[in-house]
Amino acid sequence: QRYCQDVYRGQLASVHSAARNQELQKLAQTYKILSPWIGAVTSCKAGQWQSHWEDSSPWNYANWAPTHPLHIVTTCTTLSVRNGLWRSRFCFQLRPFICQY
């Protein structure tokens, strides 16, 4: 997120519809890359696990893979290049990412 902000003056992408999810999946496929980061973070607040967008936009859509998001530690989210499903990942992993402006 910080790199996206500092270098590109953007935010990690937030996804608010199936159409947008598919658009980002197709974009990632053109680069044939590892599943990239998007801007969803899952964390425990006041004893409740919840997901939110890094850009503070409303949480009104989700496309989690089965068994995700993980409720163990705070996690960041990848968008599967293969099927468009989201998966929780440890935030320190180096991966490609999708910035929005």
Side-chain angles (χ1 to χ4, degrees):
Q1 172 69 359
R2 182 159 315 230
Y3 191 86
C4 205
Q5 290 172 325
D6 294 347
V7 176
Y8 297 104
R9 303 276 184 249
Q11 303 272 345
L12 285 174
S14 55
V15 184
H16 301 284
S17 69
R20 172 82 165 155
N21 197 71
Q22 188 174 34
E23 176 186 317
L24 295 179
Q25 180 190 357
K26 284 182 179 175
L27 175 69
Q29 285 173 339
T30 63
Y31 292 96
K32 297 192 176 23
I33 54 176
L34 280 173
S35 296
W37 294 119
I38 57 174
V41 175
T42 301
S43 59
C44 190
K45 292 190 173 129
Q48 293 283 323
W49 286 97
Q50 58 188 41
S51 300
H52 66 275
W53 293 111
E54 291 272 17
D55 68 0
S56 301
S57 60
W59 186 265
N60 56 8
Y61 174 80
N63 196 36
W64 294 109
T67 74
H68 289 263
L70 301 177
H71 293 159
I72 304 166
V73 296
T74 295
T75 56
C76 296
T77 306
T78 60
L79 170 70
S80 172
V81 174
R82 195 185 47 193
N83 58 21
L85 295 175
W86 304 353
R87 289 179 173 80
S88 297
R89 302 284 186 219
F90 295 117
C91 299
F92 58 79
Q93 292 180 350
L94 291 177
R95 291 180 167 270
F97 54 89
I98 301 175
C99 273
Q100 66 185 16
Y101 304 92

